[in-house]
Amino acid sequence: MLQQTGGSTAMGKVILCTGRRTARPYFFRSIGQSAASMEELCHILYHNAFVMQDELFDPELIRFISEELGLSDRAGCLRQLCESRAGAKDILVAIFCSTDYFDEGEIKEFLRRYDDFCGMSPVQRRKWNADRLLSEGREAEACRIYRQILGEEELAVFTEREHGNMLHNLAVSEMREGAFRQAQGHFREAYRLNRSDESLKQYLMSLKLAGQEQVLAEELKTLLPRREVIEQTTQALYLARTAAETTPAWQELERLKALHEQGKIAEYYQCADKLLEKLKNEYRESARQRTAGQEPAAAWRRE
């Protein structure tokens, strides 16, 4: 069976699938994903191996490869590796080499990343996991880890840039939660540490959005941002306001303002109640999606 898969080039590549595709996929509990072919198995392991290594040694996975995918020889090889107490790295390479899904260069790149991961300290692995969670839109889980790390003595293992980027990511989440003052402090400290224009822009924007014009003027004198940063911040604020003014919620607020100015109090309260209920429902749905891991990654994330 031929399969076309997206690779690093625009044209992709055509590969010959190994084994058969099963109607009874293998389910990876740690990430909630399933594989119905050897190619899907390789794809999942390539992108998630660092968070699911324990499952590599599950006898059920070997049985799945042997009986469901019809690759008894490969399953036998994996069984021998497990019995000889081989490491996860050896098992992963054996699985990747079972198909042509990844070429030699891609496997070498994976092994390089794997060695880098294995060389991390426990707290660095926790930061890596928090970055991964944030990229998946699981902000609450990621920021819980960031807060724990930022409160520990082990923070010294990170560079100032890494420290600042954690504060930046935490501040992004706090802005979305409405903790603006707390986020402002974290954005400013993030910029002091990572010297990132993105952290500085978000700090200046947070002051502007909070109406802290005097503080903003003082900070512009103190921090002396480059002209490009000021122009980008101004443009971002203009685009955000323009986009907001086209939303139904903005139009409803303008209508409420007009009703109040016209003295139509009864109609004003009636419309206000409807808008409030609508916003509550939207918030509940947003919270539900975040809990289910469906929301896209936070904007302006720093790694």
Side-chain angles (χ1 to χ4, degrees):
M1 177 172 60
L2 293 178
Q3 173 180 328
Q4 182 167 313
T5 179
S8 58
T9 65
M11 294 179 64
K13 61 183 179 181
V14 176
I15 60 174
L16 184 64
C17 293
T18 302
R20 59 177 176 248
R21 184 175 183 84
T22 178
R24 291 178 289 186
Y26 183 83
F27 181 73
F28 289 99
R29 300 178 300 278
S30 58
I31 60 172
Q33 295 184 28
S34 299
S37 68
M38 198 62 177
E39 287 69 31
E40 291 180 359
L41 182 64
C42 287
H43 179 84
I44 289 175
L45 291 176
Y46 192 90
H47 295 285
N48 300 279
F50 303 152
V51 295
M52 52 186 291
Q53 294 190 42
D54 290 344
E55 292 187 73
L56 293 173
F57 300 92
D58 189 344
E60 181 59 24
L61 177 59
I62 296 177
R63 186 207 65 78
F64 169 78
I65 293 173
S66 176
E67 298 180 11
E68 296 296 332
L69 301 184
L71 298 171
S72 56
D73 289 344
R74 180 55 51 180
C77 174
L78 294 172
R79 188 176 294 107
Q80 289 180 359
L81 287 172
C82 290
E83 291 173 352
S84 63
R85 298 179 181 271
K89 183 176 178 179
D90 295 324
I91 294 176
L92 286 166
V93 170
I95 292 176
F96 293 153
C97 290
S98 299
T99 77
D100 293 326
Y101 192 79
F102 297 114
D103 59 30
E104 182 180 355
E106 290 171 319
I107 294 176
K108 286 183 177 179
E109 170 61 20
F110 171 85
L111 294 177
R112 183 193 64 76
R113 291 190 291 109
Y114 186 90
D115 289 339
D116 289 345
F117 180 79
C118 291
M120 293 180 184
S121 67
V123 70
Q124 287 173 321
R125 293 188 184 185
R126 287 166 56 203
K127 176 190 176 296
W128 177 91
N129 188 43
D131 292 341
R132 178 186 65 85
L133 291 170
L134 191 62
S135 71
E136 295 175 357
R138 298 161 66 181
E139 293 179 18
E141 297 172 76
C143 289
R144 183 169 60 250
I145 299 175
Y146 286 140
R147 288 190 178 96
Q148 292 172 350
I149 294 174
L150 290 166
E152 296 175 358
E153 295 180 0
E154 292 177 286
L155 190 61
V157 305
F158 298 104
T159 65
E160 286 193 342
R161 182 175 180 274
E162 291 172 331
H163 184 176
N165 289 348
M166 280 192 285
L167 286 168
H168 179 107
N169 290 345
L170 182 58
V172 168
S173 180
E174 289 169 340
M175 286 289 288
R176 294 172 66 110
E177 294 171 355
F180 302 118
R181 292 299 178 93
Q182 195 171 358
Q184 288 172 1
H186 285 149
F187 274 134
R188 196 185 197 290
E189 180 65 5
Y191 175 66
R192 185 185 72 81
L193 293 167
N194 63 17
R195 309 309 294 179
S196 164
D197 284 348
E198 194 60 49
S199 294
L200 177 56
K201 284 191 294 184
Q202 299 313 315
Y203 175 54
L204 298 178
M205 287 177 66
S206 69
L207 293 174
K208 182 69 174 179
L209 292 171
Q212 297 176 262
E213 299 292 343
Q214 183 175 349
V215 177
L216 176 59
E218 293 172 355
E219 289 292 64
L220 288 173
K221 294 178 182 178
T222 301
L223 299 175
L224 296 175
R226 294 183 298 108
R227 180 177 177 181
E228 293 85 349
V229 173
I230 296 177
E231 291 176 348
Q232 291 169 10
T233 302
T234 302
Q235 178 70 3
L237 286 167
Y238 170 77
L239 292 174
R241 181 179 179 86
T242 301
E245 290 177 353
T246 64
T247 63
W250 180 281
Q251 294 167 6
E252 285 292 326
L253 288 172
E254 288 296 300
R255 184 186 175 201
L256 284 174
K257 181 180 177 181
L259 289 172
H260 190 272
E261 291 174 349
Q262 295 167 12
K264 299 179 180 179
I265 304 303
E267 190 175 352
Y268 167 83
Y269 281 115
Q270 184 179 17
C271 291
D273 289 341
K274 288 182 179 179
L275 178 59
L276 183 59
E277 185 62 27
K278 178 182 177 182
L279 292 174
K280 284 181 179 179
N281 290 334
E282 290 177 353
Y283 178 82
R284 293 189 189 104
E285 177 61 18
S286 175
R288 185 192 68 76
Q289 291 184 356
R290 285 198 299 271
T291 302
Q294 297 173 358
E295 189 170 341
W300 312 305
R301 180 172 60 92
R302 305 293 304 175
E303 295 183 350

